[in-house]
Amino acid sequence: MTETASAPRIIVTGGAGFIGSHTVVALEEAGYAPVIVDDLRNSRPEVLEGLERILGHSVEFHRIDCGDVQAMQAVFSQPVHGVIHFAADKAVGESVAQPEQYFSNNIGSTARLAGMMRERGVQHLVFSSSCTVYGEAGELPVDESAPIQPAASPYGFTKQACETLLRYSHRAAEGALGVALLRYFNPIGGHPTAEIGELPLGTPANLVPYLTQSVAGIRSELTVFGSDYPTRDGTCIRDYLHVCDLAEAHVAALRWLERAPGMLDVFNLGTGEGSSVKEVISAFERATGKSVPHRFGDRRPGDVTAIYANAEKAAQVLQWRTRRSLDDCLADAWRWQEKLKG
Ligand code: UFG
């Protein structure tokens, strides 16, 4: 065992997921003791083995639903320093077909978790939100003062609703609960050891896992959704950041809450740079020497033309910036894909 026996315990809901598992590593590296709460409905137990290989020891793990108040008693029975809440359903298309599930799981579990924290006097909460709250932003890069747009999907609505809910919880706690609302742009990549990465169940909906599976021959080709957008090359623009950079932002947010207990604030987490789908394909080919089989297809309903972050607030307040390049992201995503294949 390491020094983690006395390290501050941080509950990581959804800690076996893509962003959650990388955050577990970042927390350990920063001297915290992460405690994974995950019912594995959308992730795999092998992630825990990958984490063990990276860290050299196992991580405290509870296979439970973080919204199950009874089951969570055991986790809260030891002192808890803070909570990072990732656990949520996250497929935009599925949310359109199953809105009740998304409302109940995403909003319900956040409400119960915030309630448990307040009851037990746990002071620090970091919440996974999304740039989806901005919709098609009027001005780019988008900063945190940009208006929230009507949600384009039940999934997007649950992120907005949880932000609002946590603002009310924060107010009700009268200084006893600090909240960092983190609006992620597009996390990609994987741990450089290729021990953990993105594990899409079924056909990937997101660009990079679909791209790497196409190169690996699991899919015949990538379809680029739309080539007639009013952008520099006709394809959509997003702000892709390395998942390890994003993981480190959660540690920075915890540190900020420790410096400023009882505060609530919202932070964009992105690189500040937009890349088009064509640019991602070129960067992948440059970083790996592999060519990406692709064709140009119709636009995907619901996609915004372009969005990228003004991430200056996170730089100033959280003292966090991305450090890894788009090429690093894609090289690590490919290394992970190759590991999955072998
Ligand atoms: N894309 C393709 N082909 C694909 C998949 C994606 O061309 O097979 C394009 C999309 O059209 C988009 C870009 O790649 O232009 C990125 O798409 P992703 O699906 O990877 O990411 P999104 O920006 O659509 O979605 C992300 C998160 C969601 C969140 C949404 C909010 O994954 O959780 O941002 O905008 F809701």
Side-chain angles (χ1 to χ4, degrees):
M1 274 299 284
T2 61
E3 71 286 354
T4 52
S6 58
R9 286 171 86 238
I10 306 293
I11 294 177
V12 185
T13 76
F18 175 46
I19 308 170
S21 57
H22 290 80
T23 300
V24 165
V25 175
L27 285 167
E28 279 265 348
E29 285 169 351
Y32 293 99
V35 176
I36 298 176
V37 169
D38 199 309
D39 61 7
L40 303 184
R41 79 176 75 176
N42 218 356
S43 51
R44 300 197 198 139
E46 294 89 293
V47 174
L48 301 164
E49 294 160 21
L51 283 171
E52 191 166 343
R53 283 192 292 273
I54 294 172
L55 301 173
H57 61 88
S58 61
V59 178
E60 184 180 335
F61 168 57
H62 300 263
R63 186 172 182 171
I64 54 176
D65 177 343
C66 66
D68 180 340
V69 176
Q70 289 274 79
M72 288 293 286
Q73 307 287 356
V75 188
F76 277 105
S77 66
Q78 307 283 320
V80 174
H81 181 67
V83 176
I84 304 183
H85 181 38
F86 293 107
D89 289 318
K90 61 171 186 179
V92 175
E94 181 189 53
S95 79
V96 176
Q98 308 290 348
E100 303 84 1
Q101 174 192 327
Y102 275 68
F103 274 57
S104 157
N105 187 36
N106 293 8
I107 304 174
S109 68
T110 304
R112 289 191 289 278
L113 197 61
M116 285 185 263
M117 290 181 68
R118 295 217 295 124
E119 248 170 58
R120 289 168 181 272
V122 177
Q123 269 191 302
H124 309 309
L125 174 60
V126 180
F127 177 70
S128 290
S129 189
S130 166
C131 70
T132 193
V133 302
Y134 299 121
E136 186 90 59
E139 246 179 73
L140 293 174
V142 66
D143 71 27
E144 293 83 352
S145 67
I148 301 293
Q149 302 284 355
S153 69
Y155 162 79
F157 181 82
T158 67
K159 291 297 172 191
Q160 299 187 359
C162 287
E163 285 197 8
T164 303
L165 162 66
L166 293 175
R167 287 181 191 277
Y168 282 119
S169 295
H170 172 258
R171 192 180 305 166
E174 297 180 335
L177 178 69
V179 181
L181 303 171
L182 305 183
R183 292 179 179 158
Y184 310 153
F185 282 68
N186 288 56
I188 59 168
H191 197 267
T193 60
E195 293 289 0
I196 53 172
E198 192 165 6
L199 274 173
L201 301 178
T203 308
N206 296 115
L207 175 63
V208 170
Y210 205 104
L211 183 159
T212 57
Q213 290 194 5
S214 302
V215 177
I218 300 166
R219 313 276 157 207
S220 57
E221 61 185 355
L222 170 72
T223 302
V224 176
F225 296 141
S227 50
D228 59 349
Y229 282 99
T231 60
R232 50 187 174 258
D233 61 17
T235 65
C236 287
I237 291 178
R238 297 286 183 277
D239 186 338
Y240 298 94
L241 75 162
H242 198 293
V243 66
C244 292
D245 281 328
L246 182 58
E248 288 165 7
H250 293 76
V251 173
L254 261 183
R255 298 273 194 232
W256 168 71
L257 287 169
E258 289 164 357
R259 289 195 300 276
M263 298 285 282
L264 176 144
D265 215 339
V266 53
F267 301 96
N268 282 346
L269 300 179
T271 65
E273 299 283 330
S275 303
S276 72
V277 178
K278 276 189 184 172
E279 287 163 353
V280 172
I281 293 172
S282 303
F284 182 89
E285 293 183 337
R286 187 168 62 230
T288 66
K290 302 270 171 196
S291 64
V292 179
H294 65 280
R295 68 176 189 93
F296 294 94
D298 292 339
R299 292 182 177 195
R300 180 172 66 177
D303 273 343
V304 299
T305 302
I307 188 157
Y308 51 97
N310 177 332
E312 275 313 300
K313 187 172 169 189
Q316 298 308 318
V317 180
L318 303 182
Q319 292 152 25
W320 169 89
R321 278 184 198 280
T322 57
R323 299 189 284 132
R324 297 152 177 100
S325 69
L326 182 60
D327 288 31
D328 294 336
C329 292
L330 295 163
D332 287 335
W334 177 240
R335 196 172 299 121
W336 169 244
Q337 181 66 58
E338 286 202 297
K339 169 86 180 286
L340 284 178
K341 216 175 158 193

